[in-house]
Amino acid sequence: MHTAVEDIELLAPAGRWEVLESVVSAGADAVYLGGKSFNMRLLRSDLNFSEQEIEMAVSYLHSKNKKIYITVNNLYYQDEIDAIKDYLFYLASLKVDALIIQDIGLLQLCKELELGIPLHASVQMGVANAFCASQLQQLGCTRAILSKNLSVEEIAMVRQNCAIGLEFFVHGDLCIAHAGQCFMSSFINSDSGNQGRCIKPCRWPYYLKNGSIQQDKRGYYLASKDLCLINHLEEIINAGITSLKIEGRMRDGQYLAYLVKSYREALDSVYENRKQNSVHGKESIPDYGSVLNANRVRDFTVANLHGKTDINIVDISGIREPLIFNEFVPFSEQSEITSINTPINVSDKVALRVSISNLDQLKALQEMPVDGIIVNSTKFKSNGESKYAELMEWIVNGNTKKEQLFWEVPRIMAEKDVESTYQEIERVAPYIKGIIANDLGAVSMAPRLGLEIHAGYGLKIANSFAVKLLKDLNVTLMNPALELNLAQMLKMAEETEYLELLIQGPLCGMISDTCIISNHLGKDHSSCQRQCALQDNFLTTESGVNYRIRGDENCRNYVYHAMELSMLPVLHEFVAKGLRFARIDAEFYDVPLLTAVVKIYFGYFKNINDIAETAKQGLQNLKDLFPDGFASIKRESKRIT
């Protein structure tokens, strides 16, 4: 049964008062906006609404029978919780119609504060499957803003399998990466995209390097065109979307009024067409996209709406790309041992787990006294499909210790991935102790299979309220968000015994459904040449910084920070706070490198009471293994002024 078009909400953005009035006059049913802090658009001080303006906006919109949604969609660190509490109470007193949130900790906080405001799960939550959407509904959300990476078929599947209200972006800026899972800005310059301060490395020009061959011309390989779905509203509505969202809180009133007016007319045309269809048969709907084309900022794309993206999602020339930032060279990282003034006496052992992706690695670790082995179930082509199958057979034939083995669900689990992912976990369930979940959908899978649940860093755990929510969902161990600085992460280590710290490994900063490598070498997706498996591939900046690209079996691309992570220079500070669980991500290491790195950390934890000399020698050994250097956690966040 189709949703009545007259019940479909057209949702518009506003960054200033005059824009608010413009989009309402143009036909918006509801408006979303943010305050001067606590939202995802913080790079310009002239935008967003003061508390007095929010109060006026509530009165103005309600007088016109329109709704107002307030964006509170950052990640929030522990030292921000008291301030956000006061702000939430203020918004509740105004009777705003909903809060848009990203941080799962806010779900817990709003519950404890008994605010009584409807909660909408932000697109930054990466809601890409019905398991996740249903879990959010159980946690108190009335609406989920779906991932922009879903196809119309996947939207329909989500709708069929959950009851929560569904919202979808139909126009505006489009990130090439999965929303909420892009950490590149934070890794490069400590400016978190999940805190509204993205420096947009996806909008920089790069050279593409394949093996030792660098392409002659720079290109905007990650610079997505703007999303425009105005000619596809009927199929989106038929799939089950009840709120159509326009992006653009940083746009001016004239531009947005024209957009809203156009989408209003297109939506009304769908309504009229349905009425005509019931009487005279279906008529054609005008091509509204051509109308919008004249006033476009960038060229348009429908992104994933009809399936896999291709080269047409980006404009490599960058001819219509607005100037945002010049290239940032990653600033120097902490690479020496910080001051150790007093001996550290540790009675509890630090449990060490290592993630792997092939059978050779697994066999090597089984000869070492590690406390846990994590199978990274993302099937990277560079690791070889046959090697992964070999690993699976070894496990299901009972050749591992069940109490030692954990299964990490991929960071991205779209609706089309759910069935195969669940079947794979179901197959290995008798032979593993638990899973590591990177979204709330995966969290809800584990109890069905009788498995222990741990939380990966895809869940972006940034505060004690997120920890509490996950504990209530029976999660027993948690990896904190990778974007926390040293002080923030130490605070979490001090407050919870459930923390596991990533201490060594590559840093995945961006996940994209677009195959950067194949597309820009002129290869056709339908006859993949497996370029990602044949050689090393990089995006290279003008200054020579290399960001490695890896591809998986779904042709998703993963872009990595230029330097390997090592927490060894500051690890003693976490041990002093009571750290009990540590993790090495070694899925891309060959066996000699794997064993060498693990032995360094074994030596470190074994001689923790004589830490100064142990740390110094361990650091030198790591430098020998990684001569290009490695990244470590920042002591404080660096901000753009």
Side-chain angles (χ1 to χ4, degrees):
M1 181 176 179
H2 294 332
T3 304
V5 177
E6 59 267 32
D7 295 331
I8 301 299
E9 176 183 86
L10 182 59
L11 177 57
R16 295 191 185 92
W17 185 268
E18 61 271 20
V19 178
L20 174 67
E21 293 180 320
S22 296
V23 297
V24 169
S25 297
D29 299 307
V31 178
Y32 67 101
L33 54 88
K36 290 292 185 180
S37 57
F38 305 123
N39 82 82
M40 288 288 290
R41 294 291 183 271
L42 296 177
L43 286 175
R44 284 175 51 182
S45 59
D46 60 321
L47 293 178
N48 300 314
F49 288 65
S50 66
E51 290 190 357
Q52 182 181 8
E53 287 175 320
I54 293 175
E55 189 171 346
M56 292 167 57
V58 173
S59 178
Y60 172 74
L61 288 165
H62 285 175
S63 72
K64 294 183 174 296
N65 201 29
K66 310 286 185 181
K67 292 184 177 180
I68 178 170
Y69 308 140
I70 305 297
T71 59
V72 196
N73 54 341
N74 283 5
L75 288 186
Y76 298 105
Y77 304 143
Q78 196 63 38
D79 57 1
E80 299 173 294
I81 293 297
D82 287 341
I84 193 68
K85 282 182 183 178
D86 293 339
Y87 185 52
L88 292 173
F89 276 125
Y90 173 73
L91 294 176
S93 73
L94 299 181
K95 300 189 184 307
V96 301
D97 294 291
L99 303 179
I100 301 172
I101 64 172
Q102 172 189 189
D103 192 326
I104 60 173
L106 251 64
L107 289 172
Q108 181 70 27
L109 181 58
C110 289
K111 176 184 176 182
E112 293 185 14
L113 296 178
E114 299 181 339
L115 296 178
I117 306 176
L119 302 177
H120 294 178
S122 169
V123 71
Q124 295 295 116
M125 274 198 183
V127 185
N129 60 74
F131 275 111
C132 184
S134 296
Q135 184 72 271
L136 285 165
Q137 186 175 22
Q138 292 175 30
L139 292 170
C141 289
T142 59
R143 181 184 294 184
I145 305 165
L146 292 180
S147 165
K148 298 178 186 180
N149 296 81
L150 293 183
S151 68
V152 70
E153 289 82 8
E154 288 177 292
I155 294 169
M157 291 168 66
V158 173
R159 173 71 294 151
Q160 291 165 12
N161 292 299
C162 69
I164 195 171
L166 299 180
E167 179 177 305
F168 195 64
F169 275 94
V170 293
H171 197 98
D173 280 12
L174 182 67
C175 293
I176 199 74
H178 279 261
Q181 294 297 321
C182 183
F183 308 143
M184 288 298 287
S185 179
S186 179
F187 291 164
I188 292 170
N189 208 59
S190 261
D191 288 287
S192 170
N194 286 311
Q195 280 219 318
R197 299 181 180 275
C198 185
I199 61 173
K200 297 188 181 298
C202 57
R203 301 290 173 186
W204 302 347
Y206 296 92
Y207 295 99
L208 186 63
K209 184 188 290 186
N210 311 106
S212 60
I213 302 173
Q214 181 170 296
Q215 306 300 310
D216 293 334
K217 292 183 179 180
R218 293 194 306 171
Y220 289 77
Y221 296 108
L222 301 176
S224 176
K225 297 175 182 176
D226 282 353
L227 183 67
C228 180
L229 302 182
I230 196 166
N231 289 331
H232 304 279
L233 300 187
E234 185 165 22
E235 57 186 304
I236 294 169
I237 294 167
N238 289 344
I241 297 298
T242 55
S243 179
L244 307 173
K245 188 171 191 174
I246 295 171
E247 189 277 339
R249 280 191 285 144
M250 298 177 72
R251 301 295 184 190
D252 63 50
Q254 183 178 4
Y255 175 84
L256 283 172
Y258 185 77
L259 268 185
V260 173
K261 180 176 180 292
S262 300
Y263 273 88
R264 180 79 271 161
E265 291 176 0
L267 189 54
D268 290 345
S269 291
V270 173
Y271 177 47
E272 288 300 319
N273 191 57
R274 281 194 178 178
K275 288 200 300 185
Q276 291 293 329
N277 187 34
S278 65
V279 179
H280 303 295
K282 193 169 184 179
E283 296 181 359
S284 62
I285 296 175
D287 178 6
Y288 287 98
S290 61
V291 176
L292 292 179
N293 201 51
N295 288 332
R296 71 192 185 281
V297 177
R298 302 180 181 94
D299 289 337
F300 291 142
T301 178
V302 298
N304 294 69
L305 191 70
H306 297 130
K308 186 68 182 174
T309 61
D310 59 24
I311 193 170
N312 294 314
I313 197 174
V314 301
D315 177 5
I316 300 175
S317 73
I319 195 168
R320 300 189 69 89
E321 192 61 41
L323 178 64
I324 298 178
F325 297 110
N326 292 321
E327 172 198 341
F328 280 69
V329 177
F331 60 87
S332 59
E333 312 284 355
Q334 177 69 42
S335 60
E336 301 300 328
I337 302 296
T338 56
S339 176
I340 304 175
N341 298 318
T342 58
I344 297 176
N345 295 309
V346 178
S347 56
D348 291 331
K349 176 187 173 184
V350 178
L352 181 63
R353 298 198 298 176
V354 184
S355 72
I356 54 94
S357 61
N358 65 59
L359 181 56
D360 290 340
Q361 294 172 318
L362 177 61
K363 287 180 176 179
L365 286 180
Q366 287 181 318
E367 300 299 318
M368 305 177 79
V370 295
D371 300 284
I373 299 173
I374 300 166
V375 175
N376 183 337
S377 68
T378 302
K379 300 170 187 63
F380 290 97
K381 290 183 181 177
S382 56
N383 286 335
E385 293 174 9
S386 60
K387 287 187 177 181
Y388 189 84
E390 193 178 48
L391 174 64
M392 283 283 290
E393 289 305 314
W394 181 266
I395 292 169
V396 299
N397 285 330
N399 294 311
T400 55
K401 296 178 181 178
K402 177 173 180 174
E403 67 276 7
Q404 191 181 39
L405 202 61
F406 292 82
W407 199 263
E408 180 149 29
V409 181
R411 273 196 19 212
I412 304 301
M413 186 172 63
E415 186 62 31
K416 66 183 179 184
D417 306 320
V418 168
E419 184 176 1
S420 60
T421 301
Y422 189 84
Q423 288 176 351
E424 186 173 83
I425 298 172
E426 193 174 34
R427 185 184 179 202
V428 299
Y431 311 98
I432 64 176
K433 185 176 182 181
I435 70 167
I436 300 174
N438 281 296
D439 82 332
L440 289 172
V443 169
S444 71
M445 280 183 174
R448 301 161 187 255
L449 298 169
L451 296 170
E452 190 173 314
I453 320 167
H454 296 176
Y457 38 75
L459 278 160
K460 300 174 295 186
I461 302 162
N463 55 65
S464 61
F465 286 91
V467 171
K468 186 173 183 180
L469 178 139
L470 290 169
K471 281 174 61 181
D472 288 345
L473 294 175
N474 298 314
V475 176
T476 56
L477 196 62
M478 308 178 198
N479 285 263
L482 292 176
E483 298 177 293
L484 273 63
N485 65 30
L486 180 60
Q488 293 160 346
M489 205 170 282
L490 284 169
K491 183 70 173 174
M492 289 197 70
E494 185 176 26
E495 290 187 350
T496 178
E497 61 181 314
Y498 305 99
L499 191 77
E500 180 178 60
L501 187 67
L502 176 63
I503 58 175
Q504 185 77 34
L507 289 167
C508 178
M510 180 185 296
I511 305 174
S512 175
D513 280 352
T514 298
C515 183
I516 304 160
I517 306 161
S518 295
N519 285 347
H520 304 304
L521 290 177
K523 306 297 182 182
D524 184 355
H525 269 304
S526 62
S527 57
C528 175
Q529 302 297 306
R530 300 181 60 84
Q531 296 293 325
C532 55
L534 297 175
Q535 56 199 351
D536 295 335
N537 297 275
F538 301 90
L539 291 171
T540 303
T541 65
E542 188 70 47
S543 61
V545 179
N546 293 313
Y547 298 100
R548 183 162 184 164
I549 310 166
R550 291 184 169 97
D552 71 11
E553 66 168 7
N554 294 312
C555 293
R556 290 191 180 107
N557 276 193
Y558 300 69
V559 181
Y560 287 79
H561 186 31
M563 290 176 283
E564 176 99 359
L565 170 72
S566 175
M567 295 287 279
L568 196 146
V570 295
L571 192 50
H572 61 282
E573 299 190 46
F574 289 93
V575 174
K577 295 289 186 182
L579 179 73
R580 293 173 53 202
F581 302 95
R583 166 177 172 165
I584 297 171
D585 280 356
E587 55 263 34
F588 302 119
Y589 294 176
D590 60 23
V591 169
L593 181 59
L594 167 70
T595 54
V597 170
V598 171
K599 284 179 179 178
I600 288 170
Y601 283 98
F602 272 153
Y604 179 93
F605 290 123
K606 183 178 180 180
N607 298 298
I608 200 73
N609 293 323
D610 186 23
I611 195 170
E613 189 57 36
T614 303
K616 182 179 178 181
Q617 184 58 54
L619 183 61
Q620 184 55 57
N621 292 341
L622 279 178
K623 287 180 177 179
D624 292 341
L625 293 172
F626 300 97
D628 293 333
F630 42 77
S632 190
I633 192 169
K634 282 87 172 177
R635 288 205 158 269
E636 59 184 21
S637 296
K638 182 180 179 183
R639 295 298 184 210
I640 298 172
T641 57

